[in-house]
Amino acid sequence: MTMMTTIVAVALGLTPIGHDGTVKPISNDQARQIGRFTETTDDTGTTHLVGINRDTGEQFHLTVNPYGRVEGSVGNWAVTFQVSNAA
């Protein structure tokens, strides 16, 4: 799975974040739950992820800046977290 698919899975609550901040790779079943989403990158290097939560039918819009800061909304919920590469 791609990093962006994992970010969407975390934002939608499909995969938990451990106490130490690690995320287990998502399964193919979880990826299918996410469904399709669009991924675009603007001239500042910020990635925009837009799609529909298959479980609730609510739209999500997430932005991932070049430093790994994720912000956005999933339906009425605001989400914010930091992404970093595993050591």
Side-chain angles (χ1 to χ4, degrees):
M1 299 299 125
T2 68
M3 174 65 86
M4 296 305 167
T5 303
T6 302
I7 288 170
V8 171
V10 169
L12 297 181
L14 296 175
T15 189
I17 300 173
H19 293 291
D20 60 356
T22 60
V23 176
K24 291 183 181 179
I26 64 172
S27 69
N28 288 336
D29 287 338
Q30 290 168 318
R32 280 192 289 277
Q33 278 183 284
I34 292 170
R36 294 179 188 236
F37 59 90
T38 61
E39 178 180 337
T40 58
T41 304
D42 64 24
D43 59 354
T44 68
T46 299
T47 301
H48 299 267
L49 307 168
V50 177
I52 303 288
N53 183 341
R54 282 188 166 178
D55 286 343
T56 64
E58 296 175 314
Q59 185 172 358
F60 63 85
H61 180 228
L62 306 170
T63 58
V64 185
N65 77 16
Y67 306 104
R69 181 74 174 165
V70 179
E71 296 179 343
S73 62
V74 177
N76 293 328
W77 291 92
V79 295
T80 253
F81 54 94
Q82 181 71 37
V83 176
S84 62
N85 289 327

